[in-house]
Amino acid sequence: MSTVELTKDNFDEIVSGNDFVLIDFWAEWCGPCKQFGPVFERSSEKHGDLVFAKVNTEKEPELAAAFDIRSIPTLMIVRQNIAVFAQPGALPEAALEDVIGQARGLDMDEVRASVAEAQAQQGQGGAGEQAQGE
């Protein structure tokens, strides 16, 4: 499967409409991005059941900002609308395959429970801080 170009116009449709999306944030002028590009493309051919997508940070600065991308390339994996992995740097092919394997092995029920717990703790912290400030 070839990679899909993500834009602000198609991002929600593609990411929400697929259970497992790998996103490469990159730019044409970036040397490490050029090294990682072929690795990402080869991996997309091995994993036809997954969506491999690229965000050109020069053309889509809003997406880069929304995900707080500070260096490129950055690889992000989104499973069932939850970002389960994000790491800057050009990964070697073996490392990319390992990350994909780990992401496939995640128990998404546990991930959702963990996210819900973290959000609940943040909510409690925010309420406590507000009460102290009054």
Side-chain angles (χ1 to χ4, degrees):
M1 177 183 188
S2 61
T3 58
V4 177
E5 184 173 344
L6 287 181
T7 66
K8 64 184 178 197
D9 296 328
N10 70 2
F11 186 89
D12 288 338
E13 175 188 341
I14 290 173
V15 174
S16 297
N18 293 282
D19 282 346
F20 198 124
V21 183
L22 293 94
I23 306 169
D24 174 19
F25 290 88
W26 70 287
E28 288 183 29
W29 52 263
C30 167
C33 297
K34 290 179 182 178
Q35 290 177 314
F36 183 61
V39 171
F40 193 73
E41 192 67 37
R42 280 193 301 274
S43 188
S44 77
E45 293 167 8
K46 291 181 192 174
H47 301 279
D49 60 322
L50 307 180
V51 175
F52 284 73
K54 295 176 84 69
V55 173
N56 182 330
T57 58
E58 294 292 302
K59 293 180 181 176
E60 300 295 333
E62 299 94 346
L63 284 178
F67 287 95
D68 201 25
I69 302 301
R70 299 196 184 277
S71 71
I72 52 175
T74 290
L75 174 68
M76 182 175 289
I77 298 177
V78 179
R79 281 201 56 200
Q80 299 175 11
N81 292 316
I82 299 172
V84 297
F85 178 85
Q87 179 178 313
L91 294 174
E93 199 158 343
L96 177 57
E97 292 300 317
D98 183 52
V99 166
I100 292 170
Q102 288 182 46
R104 281 186 188 272
L106 289 173
D107 179 332
M108 291 308 294
D109 289 334
E110 286 182 16
V111 171
R112 278 188 291 280
S114 177
V115 168
E117 183 179 325
Q119 288 173 340
Q121 288 177 351
Q122 285 179 334
Q124 290 172 350
E129 291 168 16
Q130 186 177 21
Q132 291 171 353
E134 291 177 356

